[in-house]
Amino acid sequence: MSSLPVNRQTALPGFQETDNTAENPGVRAPLVLNMDRFGQVTRQVCQVAESKKPPFAWYVAFTVSLGLVGLLGFCVNYLIFTGVGVWGLNNPVMWAFDITNFVFWVGIGHAGTLISAILFLFRQKWRTGINRFAEAMTIFAVICAGLFPGIHVGRVWLAYWLFPIPNQMDMWPQFRSPLLWDVFAVSTYFTVSFVFWFVGMVPDLATLRDRAKGRIQQFAYGLFALGWRGSNRHWHRYEVAYLLLAALSTPLVLSVHSVVSFDFAVSQVPGWHTTIFPPYFVAGAIFSGFAMVVTLAVPARQLFGLKDLITLRHLDNMNKIILVTGCMVGYAYSMEFFIAWYSGAMYERFAFVNRAFGQYWWAYWIMVSCNVITPQLFWFKSIRTSIPIMFALCLVVNIGMWFERFVIIVTSLANDFLPTSWDFFTPTWVDMGTMMGAFGLFGTLFLLFCRYLPMIAMAEVKATMPQANPHWSGYEAHDDHGHAGGSAKPSFASPDALRSPGSGPDGGPPAL
Amino acid sequence: MSSSKDISLPINDAQQSGCGCSSTQDTSAQQSGCGCSSTQDTSAQQSGCGCSSTQDTSAQPNVASTGRSLWRSLGAQSADAEASAFAAREFSSASDVLEGDDRRNFIKIMGAGFALAGMGLTGCRRWPESKIVPNASQPANRTPGVSVTYSTAVDFMGIGYGLVATSFDGRPIKLDGNTAHPYWGGTSTSWMQSRVLELYDPDRSRQVFRAGKPSTDAEFKSWLGERAKAMQAKQGDGLVVLTEKTSSPTMLDMIARFTQTFPKAKVVQWNPIFGNTHREGSNIAFGQSIRSQPQLENATVIVALDWDPFSASPFALRNMRSWADGRRVRAEDPTKQTQNRMYVVEAGVSVSGMAADSRLAVRRGDMPVFVAMLAQALGITGDSALKSAIDRLASCPASKNIVGDGEKEIFEQLVKDLKGAKGTSVLVCGDGQPAEVVALVAAINESLGANGKTLNMEPMSADTMGLPELVKSMNAGQVDTLMILGANPCYNAPADLDFSKAMGKVPNVARVAYYRDETSMDSACTFHVPQSHFLESWGDVRAPDGTLSVQQPLIQPMIDPAQGGHSAIEALGMLLTMSLGDSQPQDGYAMVRRTHMALSGLTGSTFESSWRTWLDTGMIVGKPITSANVSSRPSDIARAVNMLADAQPASRDASVELCFMNDARVFDGCFANNGWLQELPDPVTKITWDNALLMSVATMRRLGLSQGSMVTVNAGGRSMQAAAFPVPGMVDDCVSITLGCGRGESAGRLAVDAGFNAYPMRTTSTMRLVRGATVQATGAMYTFAHTQDHGSVDAALIPSVPHDGIQERLPTLVRQTSLASYKTHPDFAGHAVHTPHRLSLWQENNLDGAHFRWAMSVDLTTCTGCSACVTACQSENNIPIVGKDQVKRGREMFWIRIDRYFRGADPAKPNGFAIQPVACMHCENAPCEQVCPVAATVHDADGINSMVYNRCIGTRYCSNNCPYKVRRFNFFDYQRREPVREQSGPLAVKPEYYVDTGPNEWVRMQLNPEVTVRMRGVMEKCSFCVQRIAAAKIKYKNEWVKAGGTSGGTSNFSIPDGAIVTACQQACPAQAIVFGDLNDPKSQVSKLHASKLSYGMLEELNVKPRVKYMAKVINPAVDHSQHEGHSYTPAHENDGSTNKNQGAHS
């Protein structure tokens, strides 16, 4: 592998990394390290699901997450049985943690589909290392997001009235309400993302099925593998479907957060009523989504030994996107201020000055320092490629993006038109518990996913390996046909094999 | 009157409003309120109003053939096979399934049935069971579902008010002023409104107690008989009756009879507030007791000296009406508009102070000097002694600091105004001042020619024994039997008297009172007997102009007859009967009739017909009281002024003074257990459920305190703890606290933790003011529940972003100008905001073809912020009280609120105030409607923004998008919740979903059946009293149909202007609220909306509010501000190219 532009090893204590971030226009940077056979990829990914016991840290994380799910269940039940008053909401601030969390989680949900759909359409091969779990993250984040609008209404048992269900009351939703648009946007987004994720996972599920030893695993993976046999026709249909789904998802990535932002932009609350919101929210969503992917990828690759598949280059690329979207968010913040001043609208101008210097100044400056200042550090390559630093910075970005939603929602509502109604929102423990619980729910689902499903799109990763190219120099250098183990080394006899690097039990073509 | 008195009444509604099946006794109530099952003891059913009956009328041919008396056809009767088959076919769809032999089909249907039953959850939920008692025979004069009004009256602090009570199925649910009353008119105060809630107070006394142990009325009567006999033997020596002030002729008659029967007995009247200051002052000034009532309608210059005429005064109602009449801006020609001018000179900030044209802050202790300075400047010349006394007082050291540099101009103008308004000016001094000041003010008034013109001088009867003398004789053991009728001296007597200790020396004490409170709980109290409410008993009252009204009961006492329930006159009547035998009438009805028979001189049928008229109209119009001719005695006044000068400190008094103020909510403490009043925000501080130690911002800073600091106040050798609260505009070096709070559990459950009791600080010599107080922080902090300036007033007091934001928008929200600049710029209100764009996202509903276009106009010139509308709305619309912890959370439920702003760049020293009532604006282009995802808030055909509670799921988006923030969310089931205070523990709020009965059956009886009681999770807001609109529509449409109009199709009936009166409008003492139809160009509201003063708040948002404000025109002594609207003009530039007619001034 000497021809690969792998330059140096970063040697921070505990974080031995192979650096594949160097750019060499003549040579494609490797996206899979230390592996020259497809089977290695398969084993690496499948061993997580196949091992008898996951790492100890998984148990710790799962226990904590499950505990938080219990807290969530308690808080939600207390809320529903007692009333929305158990939260700290008050008269002007009718939305606070509930919608903050909703928008936060919807935002988190953006990265997955962006990676899987938009980057797919743009032929960004590095997406293959991270798309699977980014998509899973999307789905779980949208589940968490969907929880909040559901439970935040005053009469939860009637929340189904939000859906256009024909009913004996002859009542129909009110289609001018952005809240209703949300219902459609988020449910569409969830459905399409889920289908996209599942369809992309079918070949890998088939691999797990074929490798499974226990009856239960065989049955379960077999059920969801939908009878995948890896035939040429399967692959053909699959790739067309995948392309179509990517095309379908791409506008959704942009639309869902635009629609979520309409909740605010269409209303007339000073601080909400701005036309910049749709692009600004989408940029913010991608920003926070990527930060969350990094936040999850760093421990996951460490824990499950996937460093060779989620390489420093992947993380570096994501950090670059965080830097770009962070700048966009910063631009939006400053543009909001400029327009508030330039418009001459008294209430609008006050809303922004008050945001920065009023009673919630601390929240505003947390937001600015986390979202605008912090990502600027990613201009430096040494920071972009330092695992501990990027992990810390991405956590900070996540916090900042939560505060962004809090600032937009709460500060605008708390000080709107009539000063006599101004109030201050103070969360109760139920607010905090519900918020923590949502993280618990997210963590639980994600940990279960890591444990039982292929975390990395094996089939797609293999396609990015040089070996997947039938004209790869290695094939010419030595003929591996007939080596012991048969399937231990990749062997591609025909160009067809390029399209099927993942259907056999070991990732190679079926032995016979 | 009402025939039923037990709690079954509201449940009867359910029966009567339903489909009207007759029901037998003890059927269980149905939750849905429709239909009643007819068999005995059937259990509750939830769904459907199917009046199930034991007779099954479904087709059963075989039954018919066996000779049932009911048949559907001759064929069926004759058991004709064809007919039977036809009958079976008639219900073929069901019968095929059930009668067919297809077992699987049967199981399917049954399964589906079970599933539906399960999904509907009808089988799973337990509905509360309660017994109903039907009205087996229809009471006379009552139509089920239609409310009835009765005129009645109430005596409050010795002043009679004429009332009209609305009764629904025997339950009084609303009180209002009697529109026909010549003195009061039809308006009301918060106190009057909330008396109906007092009737249903679950904490009211319902049990006779003897020495703390439950007893009976019979036992009390036999005890009273013994006492009467014993006292009669001694001619009443040692017998004392302690009552509250009263205007009731019957009560006065009973007292006279009592004094006649027991010649040596004493009668003492005691009220902690409105004591004898004015009586004593008139004694000094005129040598006789004179009640001088201000006639503000005749005044062009009003000077209130330490007097709050608009709140905390029993005359508030009248004062506000006549003051408002003198300044309402209605002149066609603005240049001819006149306005009275009110100066308020006060230590604290009062409702009147906020409404004043010019206000001077003067310490209460310095007020005598101020009055002397005024007298000096006016050149009061009675005689030389008086002149020199005035000069002496006016040159006291305090005089140098009273009128500050910025205020000199105002003072000079005040003097000038008074000099130029002889006969049309009036000075009124509050009872916070000593009698000597009252006398001096009387001299000034006389020299200004006020007497008989702006002051009505009415001679008063001689004074009775005072409380101090009573305590003295009690301590001396001279009192054997003390009968307390209503008064609560153990709580509110001056602390130095130690009434409780003195009562311990009286062997026999009986108390008839509405609450078993401090005096009744005292160990010395032999008997406590529950008193009846004024809506439960007969009585009469006398208004200050002499108009008499009969206090007609609306309901029988809601007390077991064996447990008392006497009124004060009945208690006295019982005492007299015990002494004089059964010839005496014992019930109030007979006593009141006897009085009025004697007063009117009518007898027999003439009396009967007059009596009926009096009851019907609510008053007996007597001869109006004419002002007595009295002249002052300058030498006595001079002596009094010299005494004042002697009492002034020798050097400038820089110590802090402690003032006792009247509470605008709980008054002297008698309303401490009234939730509506406890939760009513104080008009100035906006504090609910509490009082506070108020002080100016500078004083607060000087004392090193902040809002909510707990302090120990030491004054006059006594000390109390209270929490501090800043009031911008208050005079420095003065702290004030209202009386009547902090009663604790003895007043009832609601009074627990509600405020700080200032009575222990108050002695006979310091009834209103203690000099030389010290205030020390204890270090603890207290959280107030206030409905404005949430978070902290402190924060708003530091020049800051929020403060600048408030001041910047204030001129556009509350538009105000001075009379002088109004005359030159009468259209100033339209220029405050310039709005270039008014475009909608969607095609607007223009409500074309609406039959009515309901709208409201609120006159800011006359609104004083007294908050009567708030309580009236609460009473009419079943608005729950939420409790202190919920107000702290910012969740009060008022549908109308009074916004209060301080004006001026310096938040600590405001140069004015702004008051604005805000209810739902019923925007035509309502922002709330656009964002509701389930269409729960929509416009009705008349343009009312309606809230459909059934449809609301509680997303709260409407509230977020409401620029006025007038929507209120039911965070909890407030109607079912005890308004308890802060609970402890993480689960402070318990799931109370399955609590079936709510806080109390009694409280529920007050609910207006015409207004839905809202459950948790739904939004609510002002409905323009839609139930009243609907009632009027029904009435006038019926009349129209009867007169030949065609029902159905386009109905062309009209409702005369003024036929619909909203609750807030009805109550408003200043008549600042007008409601009506904009489609009627002649309606009052149409004219007001067309006025140049009319503006819509925030109408630049293109919401098209239906509620508009009449901009405020004030008449300040010194006009610093030109019309404020021009001080800030956002978006002044108007791009005329895009909006030819939309860019008009808003």
Side-chain angles (χ1 to χ4, degrees), chain B residues 239 241 243 246-262 265-267 269 483 485 538-540 567-581 583-596 598-599:
Chain B
L239 173 64
V241 171
T243 73
T246 176
S247 72
S248 160
T250 304
M251 185 67 183
L252 295 174
D253 176 52
M254 292 307 289
I255 289 173
R257 285 166 193 273
F258 167 79
T259 331
Q260 211 176 359
T261 315
F262 304 100
K266 294 276 189 305
V267 176
Q269 290 189 338
M483 202 159 162
L485 303 178
W538 286 94
D540 50 7
S567 62
I569 52 172
E570 283 169 346
L572 276 179
M574 272 161 55
L575 185 64
L576 292 182
T577 312
M578 303 292 177
S579 327
L580 302 174
S583 63
Q584 295 296 314
Q586 277 199 53
D587 62 330
Y589 180 62
M591 289 181 222
V592 173
R593 279 168 61 91
R594 181 178 64 184
T595 309
H596 290 283
L599 283 176

Coordinates of all heavy atoms in Angstrom, one line a residue, chain B residues 239 241 243 246-262 265-267 269 483 485 538-540 567-581 583-596 598-599:
Chain B
L239 N -74.8 45.8 79.1 CA -75.1 45.2 77.8 C -74.6 46.1 76.7 O -74.9 47.3 76.7 CB -76.6 45.0 77.6 CG -77.1 44.5 76.2 CD1 -76.5 43.1 75.9 CD2 -78.6 44.4 76.2
V241 N -73.9 46.3 72.4 CA -74.0 45.8 71.1 C -72.9 46.5 70.2 O -72.9 47.7 70.1 CB -75.4 46.0 70.5 CG1 -75.4 45.6 69.0 CG2 -76.4 45.1 71.2
T243 N -71.6 46.9 66.5 CA -71.9 46.6 65.1 C -70.9 47.4 64.2 O -70.1 48.1 64.6 CB -73.3 47.1 64.8 OG1 -73.3 48.6 64.7 CG2 -74.3 46.7 65.8
T246 N -73.6 51.3 59.5 CA -74.7 50.9 58.7 C -75.5 52.1 58.2 O -75.6 53.1 58.9 CB -75.7 49.9 59.5 OG1 -76.8 49.6 58.7 CG2 -76.2 50.5 60.8
S247 N -76.1 51.9 57.1 CA -77.0 53.0 56.6 C -78.5 52.5 56.6 O -79.4 53.2 56.3 CB -76.7 53.3 55.1 OG -77.1 52.2 54.3
S248 N -78.7 51.3 57.1 CA -80.0 50.6 57.0 C -81.0 51.3 58.0 O -80.8 51.3 59.2 CB -79.8 49.2 57.4 OG -81.1 48.6 57.7
P249 N -82.1 51.8 57.4 CA -83.1 52.4 58.3 C -83.7 51.4 59.3 O -83.9 51.7 60.5 CB -84.2 52.9 57.4 CG -83.5 53.0 56.0 CD -82.4 52.0 56.0
T250 N -83.8 50.2 58.9 CA -84.3 49.1 59.8 C -83.3 48.9 60.9 O -83.7 48.7 62.1 CB -84.6 47.9 59.0 OG1 -85.5 48.2 57.9 CG2 -85.2 46.8 59.9
M251 N -82.1 48.8 60.5 CA -81.1 48.6 61.6 C -81.1 49.7 62.6 O -81.0 49.5 63.8 CB -79.7 48.5 60.9 CG -78.6 48.1 61.9 SD -78.8 46.4 62.5 CE -77.4 46.4 63.7
L252 N -81.2 51.0 62.0 CA -81.2 52.1 62.9 C -82.4 52.1 63.8 O -82.4 52.4 65.0 CB -81.1 53.4 62.1 CG -79.8 53.6 61.3 CD1 -79.9 54.9 60.5 CD2 -78.6 53.7 62.3
D253 N -83.5 51.6 63.2 CA -84.8 51.5 63.9 C -84.6 50.4 65.0 O -85.0 50.6 66.2 CB -85.9 51.1 62.9 CG -87.2 50.8 63.6 OD1 -87.6 51.7 64.4 OD2 -87.8 49.8 63.4
M254 N -84.0 49.3 64.7 CA -83.8 48.3 65.7 C -82.9 48.7 66.8 O -83.1 48.4 68.0 CB -83.2 47.0 65.0 CG -84.1 46.3 64.0 SD -85.7 45.9 64.7 CE -85.3 44.6 65.8
I255 N -81.9 49.5 66.4 CA -81.0 50.0 67.5 C -81.8 51.0 68.4 O -81.7 50.9 69.6 CB -79.8 50.7 66.8 CG1 -78.9 49.7 66.2 CG2 -79.0 51.6 67.8 CD1 -77.7 50.2 65.4
A256 N -82.6 51.8 67.8 CA -83.4 52.7 68.6 C -84.3 51.9 69.5 O -84.5 52.2 70.7 CB -84.3 53.6 67.7
R257 N -85.0 50.9 69.0 CA -85.8 50.0 69.8 C -85.0 49.4 70.9 O -85.5 49.2 72.1 CB -86.5 49.0 69.0 CG -87.7 49.5 68.1 CD -88.1 48.5 67.1 NE -89.0 49.2 66.1 CZ -90.3 49.3 66.2 NH1 -90.9 48.8 67.3 NH2 -91.0 50.0 65.3
F258 N -83.9 48.9 70.6 CA -83.0 48.3 71.5 C -82.6 49.2 72.7 O -82.7 48.9 73.8 CB -81.7 47.8 70.8 CG -80.6 47.4 71.7 CD1 -80.6 46.1 72.3 CD2 -79.5 48.2 71.9 CE1 -79.6 45.8 73.1 CE2 -78.5 47.8 72.7 CZ -78.5 46.6 73.3
T259 N -82.3 50.5 72.3 CA -81.9 51.5 73.3 C -83.1 51.8 74.2 O -83.0 52.1 75.4 CB -81.4 52.8 72.6 OG1 -80.8 52.4 71.4 CG2 -80.4 53.4 73.5
Q260 N -84.3 51.8 73.5 CA -85.5 52.0 74.3 C -85.7 50.9 75.3 O -86.1 51.2 76.5 CB -86.7 52.1 73.3 CG -87.8 53.0 73.7 CD -88.8 53.0 72.6 OE1 -88.7 52.4 71.6 NE2 -89.9 53.8 72.9
T261 N -85.5 49.7 74.9 CA -85.8 48.5 75.8 C -84.7 48.5 76.9 O -85.0 48.1 78.0 CB -85.8 47.2 74.9 OG1 -86.5 47.5 73.8 CG2 -86.4 46.1 75.7
F262 N -83.5 48.7 76.5 CA -82.4 48.7 77.5 C -81.8 50.1 77.6 O -80.8 50.4 76.9 CB -81.3 47.7 77.0 CG -81.9 46.3 76.7 CD1 -82.1 45.9 75.4 CD2 -82.1 45.4 77.8 CE1 -82.6 44.6 75.2 CE2 -82.6 44.1 77.5 CZ -82.8 43.7 76.2
A265 N -78.1 50.3 78.1 CA -77.2 49.6 77.2 C -76.5 50.5 76.2 O -76.9 51.7 76.0 CB -78.0 48.5 76.4
K266 N -75.4 50.0 75.7 CA -74.6 50.9 74.8 C -74.6 50.2 73.4 O -74.6 49.0 73.3 CB -73.2 51.0 75.3 CG -73.1 51.8 76.6 CD -73.0 53.3 76.3 CE -72.7 54.1 77.5 NZ -73.6 53.8 78.7
V267 N -74.5 51.1 72.4 CA -74.3 50.6 71.0 C -73.0 51.2 70.5 O -72.8 52.4 70.6 CB -75.4 51.0 70.1 CG1 -75.2 50.5 68.7 CG2 -76.7 50.3 70.6
Q269 N -70.2 51.4 67.3 CA -70.0 51.0 65.9 C -68.5 51.1 65.6 O -67.8 52.0 66.0 CB -70.7 52.0 64.9 CG -72.2 51.9 65.0 CD -72.9 52.7 63.9 OE1 -72.3 53.7 63.4 NE2 -74.1 52.3 63.6
M483 N -72.5 41.8 72.6 CA -73.1 41.2 71.4 C -72.4 41.8 70.2 O -72.6 43.0 69.9 CB -74.6 41.3 71.3 CG -75.3 40.3 70.5 SD -77.0 40.2 70.9 CE -77.6 39.4 69.5
L485 N -72.1 42.1 66.3 CA -72.8 41.8 65.0 C -71.9 42.2 63.9 O -71.8 43.3 63.4 CB -74.1 42.6 65.0 CG -75.1 42.4 66.1 CD1 -76.3 43.3 66.0 CD2 -75.5 41.0 66.2
W538 N -83.5 39.7 54.4 CA -84.1 41.0 54.1 C -83.4 42.1 54.8 O -82.8 41.9 55.9 CB -85.5 40.9 54.6 CG -86.4 40.1 53.7 CD1 -86.7 38.8 53.9 CD2 -87.1 40.5 52.5 NE1 -87.5 38.4 52.9 CE2 -87.8 39.4 52.0 CE3 -87.2 41.8 51.9 CZ2 -88.5 39.5 50.9 CZ3 -87.9 41.8 50.7 CH2 -88.6 40.7 50.2
G539 N -83.4 43.2 54.2 CA -82.8 44.4 54.8 C -83.1 45.6 54.0 O -83.9 45.5 53.1
D540 N -82.5 46.7 54.3 CA -82.7 47.9 53.5 C -81.4 48.7 53.6 O -80.6 48.6 54.6 CB -83.9 48.7 53.9 CG -84.0 48.9 55.4 OD1 -83.0 48.6 56.1 OD2 -85.0 49.4 55.9
S567 N -79.6 37.5 60.1 CA -79.0 38.8 59.8 C -78.8 39.6 61.0 O -79.3 39.2 62.1 CB -79.8 39.5 58.7 OG -81.1 39.8 59.3
A568 N -78.1 40.7 60.9 CA -77.9 41.6 62.1 C -79.2 42.1 62.7 O -79.4 42.0 63.9 CB -77.0 42.7 61.7
I569 N -80.1 42.5 61.8 CA -81.4 43.0 62.4 C -82.2 41.8 63.0 O -82.8 42.0 64.0 CB -82.3 43.7 61.3 CG1 -82.5 42.8 60.0 CG2 -81.7 45.0 60.9 CD1 -83.5 43.4 59.1
E570 N -82.1 40.6 62.4 CA -82.8 39.5 63.1 C -82.2 39.2 64.4 O -82.9 38.8 65.3 CB -82.7 38.3 62.1 CG -83.7 38.4 61.0 CD -83.4 37.4 59.9 OE1 -82.4 36.7 59.9 OE2 -84.3 37.2 59.0
A571 N -80.9 39.3 64.5 CA -80.2 39.0 65.8 C -80.7 40.0 66.9 O -81.1 39.6 68.0 CB -78.7 39.1 65.7
L572 N -80.8 41.3 66.5 CA -81.3 42.3 67.4 C -82.8 42.0 67.7 O -83.3 42.1 68.8 CB -81.2 43.7 66.8 CG -79.8 44.4 67.0 CD1 -79.9 45.7 66.4 CD2 -79.5 44.5 68.5
G573 N -83.5 41.6 66.7 CA -84.9 41.3 66.8 C -85.1 40.1 67.8 O -86.0 40.1 68.6
M574 N -84.3 39.1 67.7 CA -84.3 38.0 68.7 C -84.1 38.5 70.1 O -84.9 38.1 71.0 CB -83.3 37.0 68.3 CG -83.7 36.0 67.3 SD -82.3 35.1 66.6 CE -81.4 34.5 68.0
L575 N -83.2 39.4 70.3 CA -82.9 39.9 71.6 C -84.1 40.6 72.1 O -84.5 40.4 73.3 CB -81.7 40.8 71.5 CG -81.1 41.3 72.8 CD1 -80.6 40.2 73.7 CD2 -80.0 42.3 72.6
L576 N -84.7 41.4 71.2 CA -85.9 42.2 71.7 C -87.1 41.2 72.0 O -87.8 41.5 73.0 CB -86.3 43.2 70.6 CG -85.3 44.3 70.4 CD1 -85.8 45.3 69.4 CD2 -85.0 45.1 71.7
T577 N -87.2 40.2 71.2 CA -88.3 39.3 71.4 C -88.2 38.6 72.8 O -89.1 38.4 73.5 CB -88.3 38.2 70.3 OG1 -88.2 38.9 69.1 CG2 -89.6 37.4 70.3
M578 N -86.9 38.2 73.1 CA -86.7 37.6 74.3 C -87.1 38.5 75.5 O -87.5 38.0 76.5 CB -85.2 37.3 74.5 CG -84.6 36.5 73.4 SD -85.2 34.8 73.4 CE -84.4 34.1 72.0
S579 N -86.9 39.8 75.3 CA -87.2 40.7 76.3 C -88.7 41.2 76.3 O -89.3 41.3 77.3 CB -86.4 42.0 76.3 OG -85.1 41.7 75.7
L580 N -89.2 41.4 75.1 CA -90.5 42.0 75.0 C -91.6 41.0 74.6 O -92.8 41.4 74.6 CB -90.5 43.1 73.9 CG -89.5 44.2 74.2 CD1 -89.4 45.2 73.0 CD2 -89.8 45.0 75.5
G581 N -91.3 39.8 74.4 CA -92.3 38.8 74.0 C -92.5 38.7 72.6 O -91.9 39.4 71.8
S583 N -94.7 39.6 70.5 CA -95.3 40.6 69.7 C -94.3 41.2 68.7 O -94.7 41.7 67.7 CB -95.8 41.7 70.6 OG -94.7 42.3 71.3
Q584 N -93.1 41.0 69.0 CA -92.0 41.6 68.1 C -91.9 40.7 66.9 O -91.8 39.5 67.0 CB -90.7 41.7 68.9 CG -90.7 42.6 70.0 CD -90.9 44.0 69.6 OE1 -90.3 44.5 68.7 NE2 -91.8 44.7 70.3
P585 N -91.7 41.4 65.7 CA -91.4 40.5 64.5 C -90.0 40.0 64.7 O -89.1 40.6 65.2 CB -91.5 41.5 63.4 CG -91.3 42.9 64.0 CD -91.8 42.8 65.4
Q586 N -89.9 38.7 64.3 CA -88.6 38.1 64.4 C -87.8 38.0 63.1 O -86.6 37.8 63.1 CB -88.7 36.7 65.0 CG -88.8 36.8 66.5 CD -88.5 35.4 67.1 OE1 -87.5 34.8 66.8 NE2 -89.4 35.0 67.9
D587 N -88.6 38.0 62.0 CA -87.9 37.8 60.7 C -87.7 39.2 60.0 O -88.5 40.1 60.2 CB -88.6 36.8 59.8 CG -89.9 37.3 59.4 OD1 -90.5 38.0 60.3 OD2 -90.4 37.0 58.3
G588 N -86.6 39.2 59.3 CA -86.2 40.5 58.7 C -87.3 41.0 57.8 O -87.5 42.3 57.7
Y589 N -88.0 40.2 57.1 CA -89.1 40.6 56.2 C -90.0 41.5 56.9 O -90.3 42.7 56.5 CB -89.8 39.4 55.6 CG -90.9 39.7 54.7 CD1 -90.6 40.4 53.5 CD2 -92.2 39.3 54.9 CE1 -91.6 40.6 52.6 CE2 -93.2 39.6 54.0 CZ -92.9 40.2 52.8 OH -93.9 40.5 51.9
A590 N -90.5 41.0 58.1 CA -91.5 41.8 58.8 C -90.9 43.1 59.3 O -91.5 44.2 59.3 CB -92.1 41.0 60.0
M591 N -89.7 43.0 59.8 CA -89.0 44.2 60.3 C -88.8 45.3 59.3 O -89.1 46.5 59.5 CB -87.6 43.9 60.9 CG -87.7 43.1 62.1 SD -86.0 42.8 62.7 CE -86.1 41.1 63.1
V592 N -88.4 44.9 58.1 CA -88.2 45.8 57.0 C -89.5 46.5 56.6 O -89.6 47.7 56.4 CB -87.5 45.2 55.8 CG1 -87.4 46.1 54.6 CG2 -86.1 44.7 56.2
R593 N -90.5 45.7 56.5 CA -91.8 46.2 56.1 C -92.3 47.2 57.2 O -92.9 48.2 56.8 CB -92.8 45.0 55.9 CG -92.7 44.4 54.6 CD -93.5 43.1 54.5 NE -94.9 43.3 54.8 CZ -95.8 43.5 53.8 NH1 -95.4 43.5 52.5 NH2 -97.1 43.6 54.1
R594 N -92.1 46.8 58.4 CA -92.6 47.7 59.5 C -91.9 49.1 59.4 O -92.5 50.1 59.4 CB -92.2 47.1 60.8 CG -92.7 47.9 62.0 CD -92.4 47.2 63.3 NE -91.0 47.0 63.5 CZ -90.5 46.4 64.6 NH1 -91.3 45.9 65.5 NH2 -89.2 46.3 64.7
T595 N -90.6 49.0 59.1 CA -89.8 50.3 59.0 C -90.4 51.1 57.9 O -90.6 52.3 58.0 CB -88.3 50.0 58.7 OG1 -87.9 49.0 59.6 CG2 -87.5 51.2 58.7
H596 N -90.6 50.5 56.7 CA -91.0 51.3 55.6 C -92.4 51.7 55.6 O -92.8 52.7 55.0 CB -90.6 50.6 54.3 CG -89.1 50.6 54.1 ND1 -88.4 51.7 53.7 CD2 -88.2 49.6 54.4 CE1 -87.1 51.4 53.7 NE2 -87.0 50.2 54.1
A598 N -93.7 52.6 58.4 CA -93.6 53.8 59.2 C -93.0 55.0 58.4 O -93.5 56.1 58.5 CB -92.7 53.5 60.4
L599 N -91.9 54.7 57.6 CA -91.3 55.8 56.9 C -92.2 56.4 55.8 O -92.2 57.6 55.6 CB -90.0 55.3 56.3 CG -88.8 55.1 57.2 CD1 -87.6 54.5 56.4 CD2 -88.4 56.5 57.8

